[in-house]
Amino acid sequence: MSREGQTDDYQMVEDGYLSEQFVKRLTGDFDLSCVIHIHAKNTGIENLGCVYMCENLVSLDVSYNKVHDLSPLFKLQSLQILDLSNNKLSSLKGLEYMPALSFLNVCGNELATLESLKLLETIPNLRKVIMKDGNVGNPVCHLDSYPNKLKALLPDLVMLDYRYLKGELSSAFKSLDEIDASLREEKISIHDIPQSGPVVSPSFWEDEYFDDLDLNMKLRYLKETLNSVYVEKYRMEEMMTVLETEDKQALQRLAVQLKGSPLNQDKTPSS
């Protein structure tokens, strides 16, 4: 049985090379031009090898490997989602001018300088970037200027490190930050957090910035919300049960019930 971040032995590449045979075995497609998705997490990849032959590839997950060179990606003009987290990258060279790329995860690599991020501005549709996830990040993330620099490079960025910069979630995160800061400074007590209406409106799930591939990030946001606003224990257990189901309708109902943020105080709470 596979463990988190690990793959069965028969799905490990030979000699660290992503070969045609491996991709065919992994995807079941014998014509690489027909391959749309590759999920090759923790498969021992060091060299992305034949990936350039998958010219219609839309999503690629090669997280938890030892990739250090992105040059084989240069022909992937249809690639939209790229997960390179937990590899050996010290440079993003190879990602230049990828016209369709909108989501990039490179947390857990060795990117150390702001200069190493500069080429991201050549990616016209990049909207969501993950450089760090909790305690897993890149050396560059320790620089005070890191977030503002990345926002300046990518003025249309919607999400950075699982925090939304535009849309309803940006206001929600701002309110949570203000509450947490006040609690840390003991300006208010937990019991003084005002009651409110929904943290997000029902239309949140049809937001222009979201698609079905973002369900994991919606779950992450809701879990962070539950922790940040100190929901009562019995209420948190009830909500976490819903979250674990990953059922969209249940999640939608949960989204409009969440309280604890001073958002929408002028609105009547949902019943």
Side-chain angles (χ1 to χ4, degrees), residues 46 76 202 243:
E46 298 179 25
L76 303 184
L243 290 174

Side-chain angles (χ1 to χ4, degrees), residues 9 31 36 45 49 54 82 91 102-103 110 115-117 140 154-155 162-163 175 181 212 218-219 223 225 237-238 265:
D9 289 342
D31 180 352
I36 304 298
I45 298 172
C54 305
L82 179 57
S91 168
S102 62
F103 175 92
E110 300 169 5
E115 186 65 25
S116 66
L117 308 182
V140 68
L154 302 169
Y162 292 108
R163 301 188 71 81
S175 294
D212 289 340
K218 294 174 187 177
L219 289 170
K223 289 176 181 178
T225 300
E237 290 176 349
E238 175 188 349
Q265 291 189 48

Side-chain angles (χ1 to χ4, degrees), residues 17-25 29 32 50 52-53:
Y17 186 83
L18 184 62
S19 66
E20 294 181 52
Q21 291 75 16
F22 179 81
V23 173
K24 291 175 181 178
R25 185 170 74 243
D29 287 309
L32 294 192
C50 75
Y52 70 92
M53 300 174 66

Side-chain angles (χ1 to χ4, degrees), residues 123-240:
I123 306 175
N125 289 304
L126 190 57
R127 298 293 182 268
K128 299 168 186 175
V129 176
I130 302 172
M131 295 283 297
K132 65 177 179 179
D133 183 0
N135 294 324
V136 180
N138 286 270
V140 68
C141 298
H142 297 296
L143 301 177
D144 292 339
S145 56
Y146 149 70
N148 289 334
K149 175 66 173 179
L150 202 53
K151 292 174 192 177
L153 288 174
L154 302 169
D156 294 323
L157 199 64
V158 171
M159 185 271 287
L160 175 61
D161 299 334
Y162 292 108
R163 301 188 71 81
Y164 281 79
L165 311 176
K166 297 182 180 180
E168 287 190 74
L169 283 182
S170 62
S171 298
F173 273 118
K174 182 178 180 181
S175 294
L176 293 175
D177 287 341
E178 291 171 353
I179 291 173
D180 288 342
S182 295
L183 288 170
R184 285 195 300 270
E185 296 171 9
E186 298 184 350
K187 289 182 179 179
I188 62 173
S189 73
I190 294 174
H191 304 292
D192 292 331
I193 298 176
Q195 292 297 307
S196 68
V199 170
V200 293
S201 69
S203 63
F204 163 66
W205 296 98
E206 284 73 42
D207 190 284
E208 62 179 307
Y209 299 116
F210 286 130
D211 51 44
D212 289 340
L213 293 170
D214 286 323
L215 178 59
N216 185 52
M217 279 178 282
K218 294 174 187 177
L219 289 170
R220 181 182 293 274
Y221 161 70
L222 290 172
K223 289 176 181 178
E224 182 168 338
T225 300
L226 291 175
N227 289 326
S228 298
V229 299
Y230 305 95
V231 182
E232 295 88 353
K233 183 176 184 294
Y234 77 92
R235 184 68 171 146
M236 180 177 287
E237 290 176 349
E238 175 188 349
M239 291 180 176
M240 291 301 288

Side-chain angles (χ1 to χ4, degrees), residues 242-256:
V242 175
L243 290 174
E244 293 302 323
T245 68
E246 297 190 10
D247 177 80
K248 186 172 180 179
Q249 290 185 343
L251 287 169
Q252 181 174 348
R253 291 194 297 270
L254 173 58
V256 299

